[in-house]
């Protein structure tokens, strides 16, 4: 997993830097509605908590705009931050030496998250100003993020 070159500052958004923290994704957006988008992502993650086995993941809301997702072996976690002030969605990995099982399942969770973000950002049945997430033109930030994962 690697960094999206749009953002070199690993502490952006949270104002904090954790030991063993690595930026996985930084997705620039035109606009986001933090409360609704956090609820939407939380519901998605609740559906994934027993995948691939019961109790694999636990999600907790963090502050006003974050979600922390912990893997059951406690070797790694995902920190998702919805940054309204910088118009970015940030995804960091917390953990110095995540297990192979964690890395494998992290990939599944992130790809699923990107799928969900893509769906809600492209839903033409919802007026643009009512969408939880609007991507910057040309609207390919999620595809760019997905490619950055594939080649890192």
């Amino acid at each position: 997993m690697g960094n999206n070159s749009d953002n070199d500052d690993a502490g952006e958004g949270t104002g904090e830097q954790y030991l063993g923290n690595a930026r996985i994704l930084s997705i620039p957006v035109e606009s986001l509605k933090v409360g609704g988008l956090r609820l939407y992502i939380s519901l998605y993650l609740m559906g994934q908590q027993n995948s691939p086995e019961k109790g694999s993941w636990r999600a907790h809301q963090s502050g006003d705009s974050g979600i922390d997702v912990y893997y059951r072996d406690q070797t790694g976690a995902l920190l998702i931050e919805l940054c309204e002030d910088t118009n970015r969605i940030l995804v960091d990995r917390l953990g110095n030496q995540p297990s192979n099982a964690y890395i494998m399942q992290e990939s599944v969770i992130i790809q699923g998250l990107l799928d969900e973000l893509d769906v809600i950002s492209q839903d033409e049945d919802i007026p643009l100003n009512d969408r939880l997430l609007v991507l910057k033109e040309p609207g390919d930030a999620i595809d760019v993020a997905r490619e950055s994962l594939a080649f890192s």
Side-chain angles (χ1 to χ4, degrees):
M1 307 270 162
N3 296 341
N4 186 324
S5 61
D6 286 322
N7 181 20
D8 295 330
D9 182 8
E12 180 183 325
T14 62
E16 300 174 336
Q17 178 68 5
Y18 298 102
L19 186 61
N21 191 31
R23 174 74 24 94
I24 296 173
L25 294 173
S26 176
I27 303 170
V29 300
E30 183 68 34
S31 68
L32 55 91
K33 296 182 178 178
V34 172
L37 186 56
R38 184 165 78 160
L39 176 61
Y40 185 88
I41 292 171
S42 294
L43 292 172
Y44 164 72
L45 293 170
M46 284 175 53
Q48 298 302 307
Q49 68 186 359
N50 292 322
S51 179
E53 298 172 5
K54 185 175 174 137
S56 291
W57 294 97
R58 286 176 311 154
H60 300 281
Q61 291 189 357
S62 170
D64 291 335
S65 61
I67 304 168
D68 298 345
V69 189
Y70 300 94
Y71 191 62
R72 71 177 179 177
D73 70 5
Q74 300 179 8
T75 63
L78 288 172
L79 309 178
I80 302 167
E81 187 74 23
L82 307 173
C83 303
E84 197 168 31
D85 56 335
T86 60
N87 284 341
R88 288 190 178 278
I89 298 172
L90 306 174
V91 180
D92 294 340
R93 175 189 303 132
L94 182 61
N96 283 329
Q97 296 179 335
S99 66
N100 286 337
Y102 170 83
I103 296 293
M104 231 170 56
Q105 294 309 312
E106 176 190 82
S107 176
V108 171
I109 291 290
I110 291 174
Q111 291 297 339
L113 175 64
L114 292 174
D115 290 344
E116 293 296 318
L117 294 175
D118 198 31
V119 166
I120 64 168
S121 69
Q122 309 279 337
D123 190 343
E124 294 184 8
D125 292 337
I126 300 173
L128 205 57
N129 60 341
D130 290 337
R131 291 185 195 171
L132 297 178
L133 176 64
V134 178
L135 299 177
K136 288 184 176 182
E137 289 298 327
D140 64 348
I142 293 171
D143 293 332
V144 170
R146 203 180 301 274
E147 288 174 19
S148 77
L149 293 173
F151 294 107
S152 51

